[in-house]
Amino acid sequence: MGKVKKGITCSVTGCTNPAVKSVSSDEFSMVQTNLSVNVRGSKIYLCKEHYKVFKKASKKLRRLERWRISRFG
Ligand SMILES: [Zn+2]
């Protein structure tokens, strides 16, 4: 996850907000965000709003992982 240069817009389809964060496309595809994105290279750029959506979804994923570990560990 990194900072984004000015002038880059959000990768989410139909969103024209300026991007504030970038995540790797691998990371993004692991998280079920229900967002459709235009992938340019290996990075996904997200605006403030969509980054919130991603963060929420990734927290859910982590909780699920912990649950799996505690169940099978
Ligand atoms: Zn956006």
Side-chain angles (χ1 to χ4, degrees), residues 21-70:
K21 293 273 183 186
S22 69
V23 298
S24 73
S25 55
D26 286 347
E27 202 178 350
F28 191 84
S29 61
M30 256 162 48
V31 177
Q32 301 293 310
T33 54
N34 297 322
L35 297 171
S36 81
V37 291
N38 302 306
V39 183
R40 288 169 246 159
S42 58
K43 291 256 173 155
I44 307 279
Y45 296 98
L46 296 170
C47 68
K48 210 172 154 189
E49 284 306 303
H50 285 127
Y51 181 66
K52 253 192 241 170
V53 174
F54 171 79
K55 229 169 111 180
K56 236 187 195 175
S58 70
K59 265 185 201 163
K60 227 183 272 173
L61 184 82
R62 247 170 251 152
R63 216 175 296 149
L64 207 70
E65 271 174 6
R66 212 175 296 148
W67 178 80
R68 279 203 199 115
I69 288 162
S70 65

Side-chain angles (χ1 to χ4, degrees), residues 10 12 15 17 47 50:
C10 184
V12 176
C15 185
N17 292 330
C47 68
H50 285 127

